[in-house]
Amino acid sequence: MSSGLDRRALVAALVARRGSALLLAGLGSPAWDLAAAGDHPQHFHLWGGMGGAFAMGLGLAIARPERRVVVLTGDGEALMGLASLATIAAQRPPNLALLVLDNRVYGETGGQPTATASGVDLAGIAAAAGFPATLRLESPDRAETALDLLLAAPGPVLVQARVDHRPLPLVLPLKDAVAAKHRLRAALGVEQERCP
Amino acid sequence: MSDGDWSEGAHRAILRAGIRLLAHVPDAGLAPLLARCGRDPSIRIVGLADEREGPALLAGAWLGGLRGLLACQSSGIGNLVNMLGVSAVGRFPLAMLVTMRGEWGEQNPWQVPMGQAVPAVLGAMGVRLFSLERAEDAEAVRDGALGLAFGSEQMVAVLIRQRLLGAKRLTSSGGGPP
């Protein structure tokens, strides 16, 4: 399949423009994509907890209303976390944006089709839930529009980007979640926990 | 349903622990605490569609410097087991308040399997367990549990026993099971 956007180029463009935004990657290919775009304390990569990326982004967005939070994740992970689209729509965090890198397959497990391969419209689901801004990104000439939405539009935002499914170099992010959390909290100036 | 006033002590302990985010899937046993926290403008309430969102949401909030609490019924523990892995591997503090079903005078047999399994399931995932059986212990138990969760970056659950909550009665629709 080669009818979609180059996922690595899209994520690299997001990272190049992110400014102070915090980027949270769901497990599998999106985590490798974010790692390939360069490591940074503002980035956090999940290696597990499938279905939890949207909810984790919501928590971070609530905690840091002054920062943009962008979750990038795959269509399989997004489908497992569909309930969170309702939760997020009800909370309406203006600083949260979700980017679904939709290759229509479970890419880490052998390329089995996901529900989006049958036409399930994640952007449509988000719009129906009440997201004020959604977009189906199908061609590279609209990538800048998608990035504008992800980084600046009043949220919550969901962009469903149709991306290629093809072999890519594996770039692994920081595996130690304890180290990753401490460096993100340090980047945000959060003090170490003390007993209340 | 009388809650033996445990929710008042719980609310005080929540504030004392610096918790300003309450994520929940509601339960009749939690209703007094949810109502009390809902009247407190210092606490942000997030109604979850699925308990599974809770550990991930609270990990994200804590990354940003915000302490939260997950409140749910014992059946909800079954929904969130894999997500406890996020809390465990990242040593994210996770404070849970679980109202128990299926253990004391339960009238709905469908509540029994998960309710009975909760201590073993949470224990297997490394969650530290506290048990609340008397309303007068609510504040102390909660202080101890929340202190452990945030002071030592642990996963902690306070099980509010059905003996304290009272077995749910089958009454009219909208006030009955599950």
Side-chain angles (χ1 to χ4, degrees):
Chain A
M1 281 184 275
S2 60
S3 55
L5 281 77
D6 176 338
R7 58 188 303 148
R8 291 276 165 97
L10 182 61
V11 172
L14 172 67
V15 169
R17 285 189 48 184
R18 80 176 186 296
S20 66
L22 308 173
L23 303 185
L24 176 63
L27 83 175
S29 301
W32 320 150
D33 294 338
L34 185 59
D39 195 19
H40 195 277
Q42 281 169 232
H43 300 177
F44 191 94
H45 312 80
L46 288 161
W47 284 65
M50 185 162 175
F54 289 164
M56 195 164 180
L58 174 61
L60 189 53
I62 288 172
R64 306 304 297 208
E66 81 286 6
R67 302 288 284 257
R68 192 75 173 180
V69 175
V70 181
V71 177
L72 43 155
T73 196
D75 44 312
E77 208 274 346
L79 287 160
M80 198 175 281
L82 276 187
S84 293
L85 294 183
T87 301
I88 289 166
Q91 292 293 319
R92 223 179 164 84
N95 57 329
L96 178 62
L98 313 176
L99 170 61
V100 181
L101 298 160
D102 176 18
N103 62 4
R104 305 187 183 185
V105 295
Y106 293 98
E108 298 295 312
T109 57
Q112 302 87 350
T114 67
T116 62
S118 301
V120 169
D121 178 356
L122 294 171
I125 292 171
F131 278 47
T134 61
L135 176 72
R136 285 191 73 145
L137 175 62
E138 310 269 356
S139 79
D141 57 11
R142 299 212 63 198
E144 286 301 313
T145 304
L147 295 179
D148 290 343
L149 282 178
L150 289 167
L151 292 167
V157 172
L158 186 142
V159 171
Q160 180 179 2
R162 174 85 178 92
V163 298
D164 271 349
H165 175 53
R166 61 187 166 83
L168 289 165
L170 191 58
V171 183
L172 298 181
L174 183 58
K175 191 185 289 186
D176 182 343
V178 176
K181 76 171 184 180
H182 284 312
R183 80 176 186 165
L184 177 53
R185 278 167 62 96
L188 288 169
V190 179
E191 286 183 23
Q192 184 174 320
E193 276 288 0
R194 267 182 232 115
C195 221
Chain B
M1 174 185 295
S2 164
D3 74 336
D5 280 339
W6 66 267
S7 71
E8 190 180 351
H11 180 236
R12 276 199 300 270
I14 286 168
L15 292 178
R16 206 158 39 234
I19 289 171
R20 295 296 179 269
L21 173 65
L22 173 60
H24 71 89
V25 174
D27 177 43
L30 290 168
L33 179 66
L34 299 179
R36 200 178 283 281
C37 291
R39 289 192 297 270
D40 182 341
S42 73
I43 299 177
R44 169 82 175 251
I45 309 287
V46 177
L48 303 173
D50 186 332
E51 293 85 353
R52 192 165 47 140
E53 299 175 276
L57 178 95
L58 297 185
W62 187 84
L63 270 179
L66 178 64
R67 292 178 178 182
L69 173 73
L70 171 62
C72 68
Q73 188 191 82
S74 47
S75 54
I77 295 302
N79 293 346
L80 59 68
V81 176
N82 184 52
M83 212 57 77
L84 293 173
V86 173
S87 312
V89 77
R91 239 174 47 225
F92 289 107
L94 177 63
M96 294 185 285
L97 194 53
V98 183
T99 44
M100 295 300 294
R101 294 289 305 271
E103 58 171 10
W104 181 269
E106 178 63 61
Q107 300 294 300
N108 179 353
W110 298 58
Q111 286 283 355
V112 176
M114 190 65 235
Q116 287 290 331
V118 158
V121 167
L122 289 178
M125 291 302 291
V127 178
R128 318 300 175 186
L129 298 178
F130 291 76
S131 181
L132 181 64
E133 297 180 36
R134 299 187 310 164
E136 57 267 35
D137 294 338
E139 217 167 331
V141 169
R142 226 55 57 72
D143 279 342
L146 298 177
L148 178 64
F150 295 103
S152 293
E153 299 183 345
Q154 297 289 306
M155 299 181 288
V156 167
V158 176
L159 309 183
I160 304 178
R161 312 313 300 225
Q162 199 168 13
R163 186 171 186 178
L164 169 61
L165 296 166
K168 193 167 183 174
R169 298 290 160 209
L170 305 185
T171 54
S172 61
S173 175

